[in-house]
C-alpha cells in the first residue's frame, strides 16, 4: 500500500495542503490529528473486538531533537482548535503527565460534595516522554497501571481514605508523546514497559524534518 493512501478525507486533504508550508513530517501531523479527533468524539463511538474499543489513541512520535516532533502537534492543533475550540480548552493537558493519582483526579467522578469533572475526555501532550517512562520504573508509581487501564477504557482510581479516594468509571484518554529513539531504547532497557503492556499501547511513529523553511 502506498503511503499516500493514508491521506484521504478531510484530515488527509488538510495534511496535503499544509505539508509544503511546514517543516513537520506529514505522518506526524496526521497521527496527531487522528489522535485528537478520536478523543474529541468521546466514548460513544466504539466497536467490539473481544472487548470494547473507543477511538482514543496513544501516539508516540520518534525523532531526533531537530525533527520537529512538537511542530507536528502544533500544526494539528491549529485545525483542531478551529473545529472544536471548547474541547481544546477543556480537555487538552499540554504539561504532560504528573502521577497516576493526578490522572485519576483530572477526570474524577462525582463523590459526596465533590462535583468531579463532567467531561471524561482527556488528551495528554507529553513532549518529554522520558518523564512517564522514568516514573513507570518506580514500584510505588501508579502511572503505568493507570495508563493501561485508561487506554482500555476501564475504571481508574485511587483507593485511599476519605476525601483522597476518587475514581473515574468511564475514562476517555488519548496521548501524544515525543521522544528521541536513543533515549527510548536507553530507558526501556531492563524495564517491564513492553512486557506489562504499557509501551505496547502506543503507536510508534518515526518522524523526520521534511524541509528547511526561512
Amino acid at each position: 500500500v502506498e503511503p499516500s493512501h493514508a491521506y484521504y478525507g478531510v484530515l488527509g486533504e488538510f495534511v496535503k495542503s499544509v505539508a509544503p508550508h511546514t517543516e513537520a513530517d506529514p505522518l506526524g501531523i496526521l497521527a496527531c490529528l487522528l489522535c485528537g479527533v478520536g478523543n474529541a468524539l468521546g466514548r460513544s463511538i466504539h466497536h467490539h473486538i473481544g472487548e470494547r474499543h473507543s477511538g482514543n489513541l496513544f501516539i508516540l512520535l520518534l525523532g531526533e531533537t531537530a525533527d520537529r516532533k512538537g511542530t507536528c502537534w502544533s500544526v494539528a492543533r491549529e485545525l483542531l482548535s478551529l473545529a472544536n475550540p471548547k474541547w481544546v480548552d477543556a480537555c487538552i493537558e499540554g504539561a504532560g503527565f504528573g502521577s497516576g493519582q493526578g490522572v485519576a483526579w483530572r477526570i474524577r467522578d462525582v463523590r459526596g460534595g465533590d462535583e468531579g469533572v463532567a467531561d471524561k475526555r482527556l488528551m495528554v501532550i507529553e513532549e518529554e516522554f522520558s518523564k512517564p517512562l522514568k516514573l513507570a520504573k518506580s514500584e510505588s508509581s501508579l502511572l503505568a497501571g493507570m495508563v493501561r487501564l485508561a487506554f482500555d477504557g476501564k475504571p481508574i482510581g485511587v483507593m485511599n481514605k476519605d476525601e483522597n479516594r476518587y475514581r473515574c468509571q468511564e475514562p476517555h484518554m488519548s496521548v501524544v508523546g515525543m521522544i528521541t529513539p536513543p533515549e527510548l531504547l536507553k530507558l526501556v532497557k531492563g524495564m517491564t514497559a513492553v512486557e506489562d503492556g504499557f509501551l505496547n499501547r502506543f503507536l510508534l511513529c518515526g518522524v523526520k524534518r521534511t524541509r528547511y523553511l526561512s
Side-chain angles (χ1 to χ4, degrees), residues 198-211:
F198 174 73
L199 195 59
N200 289 353
R201 283 165 168 78
F202 286 83
L203 176 62
L204 277 60
C205 300
V207 297
K208 287 284 188 181
R209 185 176 187 168
T210 56
R211 59 182 54 82

Side-chain angles (χ1 to χ4, degrees), residues 46-169:
H46 67 279
H47 61 90
H48 282 85
I49 300 180
E51 294 184 352
R52 186 184 192 279
H53 294 269
S54 297
N56 58 307
L57 300 177
F58 284 14
I59 303 294
L60 184 56
L61 302 180
L62 296 171
E64 299 301 334
T65 303
D67 279 330
R68 299 297 186 260
K69 299 183 293 295
T71 306
C72 291
W73 164 242
S74 296
V75 174
R77 181 184 172 115
E78 287 293 323
L79 180 61
L80 296 169
S81 296
L82 291 172
N84 197 333
K86 291 183 178 180
W87 166 77
V88 169
D89 291 340
C91 302
I92 293 180
E93 285 292 340
F97 287 107
S99 62
Q101 294 92 327
V103 172
W105 173 261
R106 177 61 177 76
I107 49 176
R108 68 194 183 279
D109 292 337
V110 175
R111 182 177 181 274
D114 186 351
E115 296 182 355
V117 179
D119 197 334
K120 305 305 178 183
R121 297 174 298 176
L122 172 63
M123 185 163 176
V124 180
I125 310 301
E126 182 54 84
E127 296 188 6
E128 298 292 339
F129 197 73
S130 59
K131 183 174 63 176
L133 284 175
K134 290 174 182 177
L135 286 172
K137 284 187 174 182
S138 172
E139 294 183 359
S140 61
S141 175
L142 302 176
L143 182 61
M146 291 282 190
V147 168
R148 293 196 302 270
L149 290 171
F151 177 84
D152 297 335
K154 296 179 179 178
I156 61 175
V158 179
M159 297 184 66
N160 290 332
K161 295 181 179 179
D162 302 325
E163 69 273 6
N164 293 323
R165 180 187 178 101
Y166 43 86
R167 65 183 303 166
C168 175
Q169 283 290 108

Side-chain angles (χ1 to χ4, degrees), residues 11-26:
L11 299 186
E13 291 301 318
F14 172 79
V15 174
K16 288 187 288 186
S17 296
V18 301
H21 309 289
T22 177
E23 297 178 338
D25 193 320

